[in-house]
Amino acid sequence: MRKLAVLILFSLVCQARPLLAQDAASLQFTVAAPDPVMAGEEVTLQTLAVNSGASVWERGSYYWIGEVYAIEGEGRRFLTQTASVSPAEDVAPGAAQGVQLLFRVPDNLAGRRLLYRVFLIKDGRRILETDFKGFQVIEKELRYTIPEDFKIGGDVSFTYKNNSRDGWDHHQGITSANLVGKIRQSSFLFNTYVVHTYHRPITPTIVLLNYYAPWGTLSIGDISPTLTPLSMDGQGMRGVSFERARGRYSLLALVGRIVAPEEPGPNSGGRFARYTSGLKAGWQFRPNLKVSVDAVMSRDDMHSINITTAALTIKPQQTVVYGLNAEWKFLKAFSLNSDYQMSAYKADMEASGAAVGGSAWKQELKYRADLFTARGALSRIDPKFYSFGSPSVIPDRQVVDAELGLFPADWTTFTVAYNAYTDNLDADPAKTTTDQAQTTLGNMLRILGKTVVNTSIMTNTAKAQTEGVQDNQTTTLNLSVTQPLGRHTLSAGLQQSSFKDNLGLSHDLDSSLLSLNGSFKINRRLSLSTGLVSSATKDKVDSSTGKNNSLTGSLSYAIPRRGMAVQCWATLASAENDSPLSPSDNSSVTLNVETVWLKSQNSRFTFGVGGVSRTDNLNPAADETVLNVMTRYNYSF
């Protein structure tokens, strides 16, 4: 198992508590490194969070996973999920937990900016969800410009890779394609990135087919559909969806897998594959009023993993969610969304007995004007309501959510956001009632039409109503600056986070994050880019510190007359931690060189060599140097 770049900095002895509280996590930082990253290379999504609840995260009961999105216009398109990571440690209340999620950027996403977000799943519930963060993907190949008015065409590439580990026995093939086309009155868009190895001949990392026809829109592959906020929202999956709107009628149907299976292991209790299916039918009663009914069923596949011991406690679960949703627009600038859902939940599909019923509702009011926008929402989630299709909907919570955006001038904006919840709605004496609130203030300032400065401050407080059980606060400050300089661009970001336990039950924690990057177009042949990501975390009680640094640089030189280009990029990374529980001191150096030959306007060849050297100062036996080779053929039509 790969070592985490951000390690646990401190841990406390678990103390017995007479009352139970819901799990909670407080984000300290999340960052992608290296940034920028070369297309075809791995980017690390580093995240650090504190257990701000009052119960231990036991090993095997929680895991991390990320989602990656592409920017399309003003929206986001779901690409794929990362592989999940199940850490090998218990995390006591107040302790920090770091994770490193790896994502290999497909070659066909070169030159784009991607977004990601990271989730922490505990006992099947999403207890932490980061905001969308971005990283830049560097173009790896010299390309001819494809005319914008083409109707049918695409780009297909075939890649072969190998490295020196285990005697050059790591053969890997990659097939990627971006295709667009038109069939009579219909059009389609197809993207895929498939990895081929000896043991797994076909592993589709990314696959998506969108078919737009007069009779509806069909999507196959990696999708993230939305039915209603409470029944299905924000859940990536691999499946099929069909959407149709005709006159006053609208229909959305879907089926897919939302959780991949994982066999039980030393650090994981295992996970069943989880599948979901949903249906939403709507009717436009008036131009400003639409009412819809929906139903979603999610269930585990109990045969998707092998259970060889009775010691494992996971059980196959099932939930059915169904209800009504209404969207009403009034007074031109106002809109009201009302969502009411009911659920039937079975904690063990093999057990006898009826499903447990629950309900939830959400009212959301929006206002949009030229100078400001506002949104307010109130929701109540019954303790017995379960919706696997909306992992952010956590049972036993009443939530208040509000946002305000002010636009006094085109060179500045102000944002205010507030989110708060109270749990233990049934006043169960065996549980601790917790109040948690998050407040965010932000400002965007554009100076002289070019320099963009973003600042924000966020506070997150969690306090138990029972005296002496839980009372902590996290404060985060952000500052970022982007400065265009002709054909060049410079940007810098700084973040400071502080976790404080007002009861002294946990160690206080300070963390900082610095990011610098720049892209430079020296002339029409030569371009450069560089990036630095540095994070540090300090335990204010035992003075232990953890540091992570990543420095990347790239150079591209084109020889247009010969249809050639040479590219070189390197990354230096290091991680140090003097924690008495989990010390670490390791570093790595990566260097790659590629040559691109444009055989014609439609085809090109790429040849590359490189290597990575890893050093572990605390465990020299883990030192290694790996060489790699790569060749790729690409055809555009």
Side-chain angles (χ1 to χ4, degrees):
M1 179 180 177
R2 295 179 181 266
K3 290 190 175 182
L4 302 179
V6 184
L7 297 175
I8 295 179
L9 302 176
F10 56 89
S11 180
L12 300 176
V13 177
C14 179
Q15 301 179 359
R17 300 182 185 271
L19 300 177
L20 299 177
Q22 286 196 357
D23 296 303
S26 178
L27 177 68
Q28 300 303 294
F29 68 79
T30 180
V31 64
D35 183 15
V37 60
M38 273 289 181
E41 300 300 314
E42 283 187 339
V43 62
T44 302
L45 311 181
Q46 302 175 7
T47 304
L48 181 70
V50 171
N51 181 354
S52 57
S55 59
V56 177
W57 301 345
E58 296 181 354
R59 181 182 67 177
S61 68
Y62 70 99
Y63 66 94
W64 297 82
I65 195 169
E67 291 183 349
V68 183
Y69 294 75
I71 299 176
E72 292 190 348
E74 297 182 355
R76 298 181 292 263
R77 178 172 63 85
F78 173 74
L79 287 179
T80 188
Q81 291 181 330
T82 68
S84 62
V85 172
S86 299
E89 306 88 6
D90 294 341
V91 183
Q97 219 286 326
V99 71
Q100 184 184 57
L101 299 174
L102 299 179
F103 172 65
R104 183 171 294 278
V105 181
D107 298 278
N108 53 13
L109 295 178
R112 305 184 64 172
R113 183 166 181 81
L114 301 182
L115 301 177
Y116 77 93
R117 55 180 180 168
V118 175
F119 308 116
L120 174 59
I121 312 296
K122 174 71 167 62
D123 294 328
R125 302 178 184 178
R126 187 181 292 178
I127 65 172
L128 176 66
E129 176 179 329
T130 70
D131 291 333
F132 284 96
K133 299 291 185 178
F135 58 91
Q136 185 65 38
V137 181
I138 301 175
E139 179 77 38
K140 284 186 64 174
E141 301 172 356
L142 179 64
R143 298 172 181 265
Y144 284 115
T145 301
I146 300 176
E148 295 183 358
D149 59 351
F150 74 95
K151 298 299 182 182
I152 299 177
D155 186 277
V156 180
S157 68
F158 305 94
T159 304
Y160 169 78
K161 294 183 177 182
N162 200 354
N163 62 59
S164 60
R165 188 182 290 116
D166 299 330
W168 296 95
D169 195 26
H170 284 261
H171 307 281
Q172 184 184 80
I174 298 173
T175 301
S176 63
N178 288 325
L179 304 177
V180 294
K182 186 176 182 180
I183 303 175
R184 296 183 179 178
Q185 295 180 329
S186 303
S187 60
F188 68 88
L189 170 67
F190 178 69
N191 297 320
T192 188
Y193 188 82
V194 183
V195 179
H196 315 281
T197 62
Y198 178 79
H199 297 287
R200 301 186 66 181
I202 299 178
T203 304
T205 303
I206 295 176
V207 58
L208 175 64
L209 170 64
N210 285 333
Y211 189 80
Y212 308 95
W215 41 263
T217 300
L218 178 67
S219 298
I220 303 175
D222 297 311
I223 57 177
S224 183
T226 295
L227 297 185
T228 75
L230 298 176
S231 63
M232 176 166 288
D233 183 39
Q235 177 62 71
M237 68 180 70
R238 178 157 291 179
V240 180
S241 70
F242 172 73
E243 189 170 3
R244 175 182 172 87
R246 187 179 183 88
R248 294 188 176 187
Y249 294 98
S250 63
L251 176 70
L252 174 59
L254 62 95
V255 61
R257 189 189 70 184
I258 57 177
V259 176
E262 181 175 282
E263 296 290 340
N267 303 324
S268 172
R271 288 191 294 275
F272 294 108
R274 179 168 292 171
Y275 295 89
T276 190
S277 59
L279 179 68
K280 178 182 179 181
W283 172 258
Q284 197 80 38
F285 279 91
R286 300 174 60 88
N288 63 340
L289 177 62
K290 182 179 181 180
V291 178
S292 59
V293 296
D294 63 273
V296 178
M297 183 179 72
S298 304
R299 59 181 294 156
D300 293 337
D301 179 4
M302 65 183 70
H303 304 294
S304 58
I305 61 176
N306 296 316
I307 299 180
T308 58
T309 173
L312 293 177
T313 59
I314 62 170
K315 303 294 182 182
Q317 303 177 59
Q318 174 181 297
T319 181
V320 177
V321 180
Y322 53 96
L324 298 170
N325 181 271
E327 300 176 58
W328 179 35
K329 298 180 180 180
F330 59 99
L331 299 179
K332 295 184 179 180
F334 288 91
S335 64
L336 175 66
N337 186 293
S338 298
D339 194 18
Y340 179 78
Q341 303 290 324
M342 294 179 288
S343 73
Y345 168 69
K346 292 201 69 173
D348 185 357
M349 293 167 51
E350 297 181 298
S352 59
V356 177
S359 62
W361 55 263
K362 181 177 182 179
Q363 305 291 330
E364 184 176 43
L365 180 65
K366 295 182 180 180
Y367 176 80
R368 178 177 293 275
D370 293 334
L371 296 180
F372 73 94
T373 61
R375 182 184 68 85
L378 175 65
S379 60
R380 188 185 190 280
I381 317 301
D382 189 85
K384 298 179 181 180
F385 179 84
Y386 292 87
S387 178
F388 293 160
S390 289
S392 297
V393 177
I394 299 178
D396 198 14
R397 284 188 179 181
Q398 181 166 299
V399 184
V400 176
D401 190 18
E403 293 181 2
L404 176 64
L406 303 176
F407 316 102
D410 58 1
W411 47 267
T412 187
T413 61
F414 296 89
T415 57
V416 181
Y418 177 77
N419 179 278
Y421 74 79
T422 299
D423 56 22
N424 195 19
L425 302 182
D426 289 344
D428 187 343
K431 297 181 180 180
T432 297
T433 302
T434 305
D435 298 319
Q436 183 160 329
Q438 178 175 296
T439 304
T440 304
L441 303 176
N443 171 250
M444 185 282 293
L445 179 64
R446 183 179 291 107
I447 303 174
L448 300 178
K450 292 185 177 181
T451 305
V452 178
V453 180
N454 286 281
T455 56
S456 68
I457 178 173
M458 181 186 71
T459 60
N460 190 316
T461 60
K463 186 175 183 179
Q465 294 184 8
T466 303
E467 191 71 24
V469 174
Q470 181 184 9
D471 185 1
N472 57 65
Q473 176 175 311
T474 299
T475 303
T476 303
L477 301 174
N478 278 288
L479 170 65
S480 66
V481 181
T482 302
Q483 177 63 61
L485 297 172
R487 295 182 297 177
H488 317 309
T489 302
L490 299 175
S491 62
L494 178 64
Q495 177 180 298
Q496 296 282 346
S497 296
S498 174
F499 172 80
K500 180 176 178 58
D501 191 322
N502 297 319
L503 300 178
L505 302 176
S506 307
H507 289 198
D508 293 345
L509 183 71
D510 282 345
S511 62
S512 62
L513 175 66
L514 173 66
S515 62
L516 303 170
N517 59 68
S519 60
F520 309 93
K521 187 71 173 178
I522 308 303
N523 52 47
R524 67 186 186 93
R525 293 189 176 187
L526 180 63
S527 60
L528 306 172
S529 66
T530 184
L532 168 69
V533 177
S534 178
S535 64
T537 308
K538 182 176 182 179
D539 186 325
K540 299 178 68 175
V541 176
D542 63 19
S543 298
S544 62
T545 59
K547 298 180 180 179
N548 294 273
N549 299 289
S550 174
L551 175 64
T552 183
S554 67
L555 179 149
S556 177
Y557 184 76
I559 311 174
R561 290 185 178 181
R562 297 189 177 183
M564 297 183 65
V566 178
Q567 295 174 307
C568 174
W569 67 96
T571 300
L572 306 177
S574 64
E576 299 180 23
N577 195 309
D578 59 6
S579 167
L581 296 177
S582 303
S584 66
D585 185 1
N586 54 73
S587 61
S588 66
V589 179
T590 304
L591 177 64
N592 292 276
V593 179
E594 289 187 2
T595 300
V596 183
W597 173 43
L598 291 170
K599 184 176 181 295
S600 66
Q601 185 171 348
N602 300 99
S603 63
R604 59 188 178 275
F605 291 91
T606 304
F607 306 93
V609 295
V612 56
S613 177
R614 299 182 178 90
T615 303
D616 192 328
N617 295 323
L618 301 183
N619 181 21
D623 294 353
E624 67 171 352
T625 298
V626 179
L627 304 178
N628 57 72
V629 296
M630 182 277 297
T631 182
R632 179 187 303 113
Y633 173 72
N634 186 281
Y635 182 75
S636 302
F637 56 95

